[in-house]
Amino acid sequence: RLAVGVVNGTEQLSDATSFALSTIRGEMQTIRNSTAISHAEDQDEVDRARDDVTKCDRWTLLEHATNLTAKEDVHASCRGSEAVLNQIKTAACAKYLAAMRGLDPP
């Protein structure tokens, strides 16, 4: 309403209102500038990440495929050993629990 009145010439801004609006305008410009700088920095980070992923192309993957396969084989072997040890532990614990169930408390 104030803006319409000022434009139509039916209202006048006080010095305090004019100063407040000028200060708000300056602060908003500062926020816009900071936002633009922050966006540019963020975009640079995104672009760098995209470029790094692009560098990791098929050739790089094939170059490391043999090493990766060997590590996967070692991991699978380890998991197999863990499975056997888990079965042994489960059987031992079952025997222990069965023996404990048979005891009367003191």
Side-chain angles (χ1 to χ4, degrees):
R1 189 175 77 189
L2 177 62
V4 171
V6 170
V7 170
N8 290 336
T10 58
E11 295 279 341
Q12 286 190 342
L13 293 179
S14 69
D15 289 342
T17 302
S18 181
F19 178 75
L21 290 174
S22 176
T23 302
I24 291 170
R25 184 179 303 115
E27 291 299 319
M28 290 302 296
Q29 190 59 45
T30 300
I31 291 169
R32 290 183 68 201
N33 292 343
S34 295
T35 301
I37 290 169
S38 179
H39 170 73
E41 290 170 353
D42 292 345
Q43 189 62 51
D44 287 344
E45 288 181 33
V46 169
D47 291 345
R48 275 193 304 277
R50 181 204 58 220
D51 294 344
D52 288 345
V53 169
T54 302
K55 289 176 189 174
C56 185
D57 61 3
R58 188 168 180 248
W59 176 257
T60 303
L61 294 175
L62 290 175
E63 187 176 304
H64 297 291
T66 304
N67 188 24
L68 181 61
T69 301
K71 288 182 179 183
E72 287 173 344
D73 290 344
V74 169
H75 180 252
S77 174
C78 181
R79 295 290 289 175
S81 298
E82 286 179 330
V84 170
L85 293 172
N86 187 48
Q87 290 172 348
I88 293 169
K89 178 199 73 141
T90 301
C93 286
K95 289 178 186 177
Y96 172 77
L97 291 174
M100 291 298 294
R101 281 190 211 109
L103 298 176
D104 290 326

